[in-house]
Amino acid sequence: MSSCYFLLNALVFDGTGSEPRAGSVLVVDGKVSAWGDIPSSQVPQDAEPVDLKGLAVSPGFINIHSHSDTHMILHPESKTLLFQGITTEVTGNCGGSDIDPSDWSDERWQEIFENSEVKEKWDGVRGYLDAVTAARPAANTAALFGHGDVRRRVLGDDGRPMTCEELNKAEAIALKWMEEGAFGVSSGLEYVPGRFANVQELAAVSRPVRAFGGFHASHIRNEGPDLLASIQECTDVAAQSGVRFEVSHIKACGPQNWGKVKDALRMLDDQREKGLEMTADFYPYLASSTGLAIVLPDWVLEKGKGRALEGLREEGFRKRAESESDHRTSVQGGWDKIVICGVKKPENKWMEGKNLAEIAQVRGKAPEVMAIDLLLDENLEVRIARFAMSEDDLVDAIKHPRTAVVTDGYNTVPDKGKPHPRSVGTFPRVLGLYARDKGVISMEEAIRKMTSLPAKRLGLSNRGLVAPGCWADLVVFDPDKIEDKATYENPWQYPVGISAVFVNGEMVVRDGELTGARSGRALSRRP
């Protein structure tokens, strides 16, 4: 039976961007029953009164860009999400998702079975959502499917363009996954295999998405010198398919490219005037997080990971890869801006927290040589943070009326290493640092970018607002104290200032601690 709560003496941010109003919020049967000046006659006798004593209450935050796919299954308590007010996590971004586990090893499946309540393999969007339901996470989960998953199903590791027949196959797979409940598609055009897709292919997988009212979120092809050309490519995909388009974590990498975010946003606005719905999202940090393999040129990776590893052990192949990797890195800030965040081998752990220039100096090697050595030693799986963005560009992204707040992180736990601090502190950082302290935007506008704006983008008409009939995903916080604490050196410092969180009407955080309730749901866009 659902709990019933009467939240008294609150400062209510309703999610629309309107100024907050003093009032109360009544939660009945998982939904907001009423808010404002609520007469006692409307309050059920079994409602638990919660005196907020002037604290703020807002809709739960919707993180429209995450990489929490299996993390929602392995870490269902969702502490890193709830402690920053996230009540809905959208998975499957940057072109890859865990809805297609066709190439998973037995060892990976064993990890799932041994460490979660999921005991059967899944396949496709419906199977993934069923697995999330079985895991009973404390936060809601919505899924995008990855264009990269579609491409691998059609072409494997081949980097060539698709034929007409293969484009039809890709479109059919996209249609099936939209029918199964995906909210849209993501692409990762800076990564393999998205690097090898052309506009025609991206439009093909986007057409079924448009037909179902979904959207295409893209980690674009280049966030440095070719940023504006990459935005134009997105425009071409939207024009050919009619899909609503989201530029993921918009940024300009490298000092020589700073200032281009304003131009990129203007391009999106221009297309909106022409009838294309093109939007963007951002995270409030000046360092990105990705894999070190991103420094490798396309031709190294065009035949898949196995061939890349073989080639990098051949002298001529490697020398060319080193030279081109050095150039790719120099135009986006240099090797000293790449900090190693995650390696698997114990003997390499000393590198975590150090930049590649420092590591190369210790080893007495050129940075590009050191980078290839490390990639080979770690089977191409090295996590990095890259310090390449400017504060002015970030402020431009924050101020734009159609940008959403995202983490680009994932739901995780301390024993899994050191994540980028965005996985722990993104939403409080926007509210505390950029809204309250710097005044870049108002608190109510920041909350809109976290609630009703992403909800509308997803097509969730009953979330993202404090309004009668909406699901009671709610965050209680102190506007004067909310603050992120996570740093690159020590990300495992949780935010302060959030005292309570509700998911589907159940209190999952009380007095700043998890209650143990796991009331999240697998959300579906099934017709």
Side-chain angles (χ1 to χ4, degrees):
M1 183 176 178
S2 298
S3 302
C4 183
Y5 297 96
F6 186 36
L7 310 183
L8 298 141
N9 302 315
L11 181 66
V12 182
F13 291 84
D14 67 3
T16 65
S18 299
E19 291 186 5
R21 289 164 45 197
S24 300
V25 180
L26 179 62
V27 176
V28 179
D29 293 332
K31 295 185 176 182
V32 174
S33 175
W35 81 275
D37 186 10
I38 303 174
S40 58
S41 60
Q42 289 186 16
V43 181
Q45 290 186 347
D46 61 346
E48 177 186 343
V50 182
D51 189 350
L52 298 187
K53 299 177 181 178
L55 293 178
V57 61
S58 78
F61 305 146
I62 298 172
N63 182 23
I64 204 169
H65 185 109
S66 89
H67 297 277
S68 291
D69 300 51
T70 49
H71 297 266
M72 299 306 294
I73 292 168
L74 290 169
H75 313 304
E77 66 284 351
S78 308
K79 188 173 182 178
T80 52
L81 306 183
L82 300 177
F83 272 33
Q84 58 177 307
I86 296 170
T87 57
T88 297
E89 187 87 335
V90 181
T91 66
N93 280 281
C94 291
S97 68
D98 287 343
I99 67 161
D100 178 23
S102 55
D103 62 347
W104 283 14
S105 65
D106 290 341
E107 290 76 16
R108 188 169 182 188
W109 279 117
Q110 198 61 32
E111 179 191 13
I112 298 288
F113 298 154
E114 290 179 356
N115 297 285
S116 78
E117 296 179 40
V118 175
K119 306 302 177 186
E120 296 182 1
K121 294 181 179 181
W122 68 79
D123 182 58
V125 175
R126 181 173 287 119
Y128 170 72
L129 295 175
D130 288 346
V132 170
T133 297
R136 299 186 305 107
N140 301 314
T141 307
L144 306 178
F145 69 87
H147 153 260
D149 303 322
V150 176
R151 190 172 221 278
R152 285 194 175 96
R153 284 208 171 190
V154 175
L155 285 180
D157 289 330
D158 199 324
R160 64 174 174 80
M162 288 188 184
T163 65
C164 289
E165 182 180 354
E166 288 162 346
L167 288 170
N168 290 335
K169 288 181 180 178
E171 192 166 343
I173 294 169
L175 174 62
K176 181 176 184 293
W177 285 346
M178 288 303 295
E179 289 174 338
E180 291 182 355
F183 283 82
V185 62
S186 74
S187 56
L189 306 183
E190 199 171 13
Y191 301 124
V192 173
R195 285 188 187 187
F196 310 120
N198 56 26
V199 169
Q200 185 181 19
E201 179 180 326
L202 296 168
V205 297
S206 296
R207 289 189 187 100
V209 175
R210 176 197 55 76
F212 278 79
F215 70 103
H216 183 146
S218 183
H219 178 131
I220 60 178
R221 197 170 297 275
N222 186 280
E223 297 174 328
D226 296 323
L227 170 63
L228 302 185
S230 297
I231 297 290
Q232 182 59 52
E233 180 180 34
C234 298
T235 297
D236 294 341
V237 174
Q240 287 194 22
S241 65
V243 76
R244 295 186 295 126
F245 207 99
E246 174 111 347
V247 176
S248 297
H249 42 63
I250 194 165
K251 64 176 80 75
C253 295
Q256 63 269 50
N257 302 306
W258 291 350
K260 291 182 178 179
V261 165
K262 190 186 297 288
D263 295 328
L265 291 168
R266 188 178 297 115
M267 288 177 69
L268 300 183
D269 289 342
D270 290 344
Q271 293 306 314
R272 186 170 185 268
E273 292 179 4
K274 296 175 182 178
L276 293 179
E277 186 173 342
M278 300 193 69
T279 53
D281 52 55
F282 69 90
Y283 51 80
Y285 297 88
L286 302 183
S288 62
S289 180
T290 186
L292 182 57
I294 202 170
V295 305
L296 298 172
D298 292 357
W299 59 267
V300 172
L301 300 161
E302 65 184 356
K303 296 298 181 183
K305 181 178 178 180
R307 174 56 190 141
L309 289 167
E310 290 175 8
L312 290 172
R313 294 186 176 95
E314 299 168 3
E315 183 177 0
F317 187 106
R318 173 168 176 154
K319 288 296 184 185
R320 182 184 169 197
E322 288 174 355
S323 175
E324 293 189 24
S325 295
D326 189 45
H327 175 71
R328 286 173 65 90
T329 301
S330 67
V331 298
Q332 295 203 27
W335 294 103
D336 62 330
K337 302 299 189 294
I338 295 179
V339 175
I340 303 301
C341 291
V343 292
K344 292 184 178 180
K345 291 191 173 182
E347 60 267 31
N348 294 330
K349 286 290 182 180
W350 67 272
M351 300 181 189
E352 292 182 347
K354 295 180 171 59
N355 70 58
L356 259 168
E358 292 175 319
I359 295 167
Q361 187 174 27
V362 170
R363 287 288 175 86
K365 300 178 179 180
E368 63 271 22
V369 174
M370 185 67 244
I372 301 295
D373 282 351
L374 183 57
L375 284 167
L376 284 170
D377 197 31
E378 293 281 342
N379 201 35
L380 298 188
E381 296 179 6
V382 180
R383 299 299 301 175
I384 63 170
R386 183 162 60 181
F387 292 81
M389 286 95 82
S390 82
E391 180 81 359
D392 288 344
D393 279 343
L394 174 57
V395 167
D396 284 338
I398 293 173
K399 286 182 173 180
H400 192 275
R402 286 180 296 283
T403 56
V405 180
V406 300
T407 69
D408 193 18
Y410 52 95
N411 175 26
T412 186
V413 292
D415 64 3
K416 295 298 180 182
K418 289 186 175 182
H420 189 295
R422 65 193 184 188
S423 289
V424 181
T426 290
F427 286 79
R429 182 176 179 83
V430 172
L431 293 173
L433 179 61
Y434 287 101
R436 181 192 62 226
D437 297 345
K438 293 190 174 185
V440 173
I441 53 175
S442 66
M443 189 75 72
E444 54 265 30
E445 173 66 359
I447 289 170
R448 184 185 71 86
K449 289 172 173 283
M450 302 172 176
T451 57
S452 66
L453 188 153
K456 183 177 181 181
R457 209 156 284 174
L458 288 162
L460 295 174
S461 60
N462 56 1
R463 297 184 192 271
L465 294 170
V466 178
C470 284
W471 288 101
D473 297 339
L474 303 170
V475 180
V476 176
F477 67 96
D478 188 333
D480 295 327
K481 294 181 179 179
I482 192 166
E483 182 181 2
D484 68 304
K485 295 291 186 179
T487 65
Y488 295 97
E489 297 75 23
N490 183 12
W492 288 110
Q493 301 176 87
Y494 291 107
V496 296
I498 294 177
S499 56
V501 178
F502 297 78
V503 175
N504 296 311
E506 295 295 330
M507 194 181 291
V508 294
V509 173
R510 183 192 288 265
D511 298 328
E513 298 294 335
L514 295 178
T515 65
R518 282 158 52 182
S519 54
R521 299 182 178 184
L523 307 181
S524 171
R525 200 183 170 89
R526 294 173 192 164

